[in-house]
Amino acid sequence: PADCDRIACGSGPVVVIGGGLLGLEAAYALARRDREVTVVHLVDRLMERQLDATAAALLLPAIEALGVDVRLEHATRAILAADDGRVRGLAFADGAELACSQVVIAAGIRPHVDLARAAGLQVERGVVVDDRMVTSHARVLAVGECAQHRGVVHGIVAPIHDQAAVAADALAGRESAYAGAVV
């Protein structure tokens, strides 16, 4: 909450790194506060995990109409600091720079899997689980942002609630299966 307050009450241009759902929500909220907002996204379309190319093409002008500048296919190399330590902008892989006074990073999640790996569980991007949320060890379950189900790691809450319900059923000896989520 304190970080959100600092961002919301800040001044000057702000850049949101990440054009997924959370990044766009943050950008819109800041634009509504009359901040100059630019979304910088690594890939060629917004919300690529949720939308196909046609839907993303419809979303782009709608986001821009809300007062948000969007820059696609921009790989951020560094956050640049002024001599006093404050943010002064971003540097991109192609050598270009973008001035800003704040940066919000909404570029996805990175599961913490060190404990699982040390315990000998199967780990890829996340801790690999089956449809009952059971890991490679029959007595260990995983849910949430660390769990990888059918190759997918979710970083939003709705699928995680569903995973938790299935894991609770598994622990209670009830039949249940997580089939994935449509995000």
Side-chain angles (χ1 to χ4, degrees):
D3 288 341
C4 291
D5 288 342
R6 273 200 320 276
I7 293 166
C9 295
S11 61
V14 60
V15 172
V16 176
I17 300 173
L21 181 61
L22 296 177
L24 294 179
E25 285 180 335
Y28 176 61
L30 289 162
R32 288 190 57 194
R33 291 184 156 288
D34 295 322
R35 298 291 299 277
E36 181 183 332
V37 182
T38 302
V39 170
V40 173
H41 198 46
L42 181 61
V43 298
D44 64 346
R45 66 179 192 261
L46 296 172
M47 294 182 61
E48 74 283 353
R49 292 188 67 189
Q50 293 88 7
L51 303 177
D52 63 17
T54 302
L58 296 171
L59 177 62
L60 179 61
I63 295 296
E64 292 173 330
L66 297 172
V68 176
D69 181 36
V70 177
R71 300 190 184 190
L72 300 174
E73 298 183 277
H74 276 66
T76 303
R77 183 178 48 81
I79 297 174
L80 304 173
D83 291 336
D84 63 2
R86 295 177 191 233
V87 171
R88 70 171 177 86
L90 292 182
F92 299 106
D94 66 1
E97 294 184 4
L98 176 63
C100 64
S101 60
Q102 286 182 317
V103 176
V104 175
I105 301 174
I109 58 147
R110 182 173 297 155
H112 293 275
V113 295
D114 294 342
L115 178 62
R117 187 173 280 119
L121 300 178
Q122 181 184 357
V123 174
E124 291 173 2
R125 180 165 178 246
V127 181
V128 177
V129 296
D130 65 15
D131 289 350
R132 296 189 36 80
M133 307 312 298
V134 177
T135 69
S136 56
H137 187 291
R139 295 179 49 105
V140 178
L141 285 76
V143 300
E145 295 174 343
C146 71
Q148 177 181 320
H149 177 261
R150 297 183 186 177
V152 176
V153 175
H154 291 288
I156 57 177
V157 73
I160 295 168
H161 285 236
D162 295 341
Q163 291 175 358
V166 170
D169 285 343
L171 292 169
R174 295 186 296 261
E175 282 300 316
S176 184
Y178 179 70
V182 176
V183 293

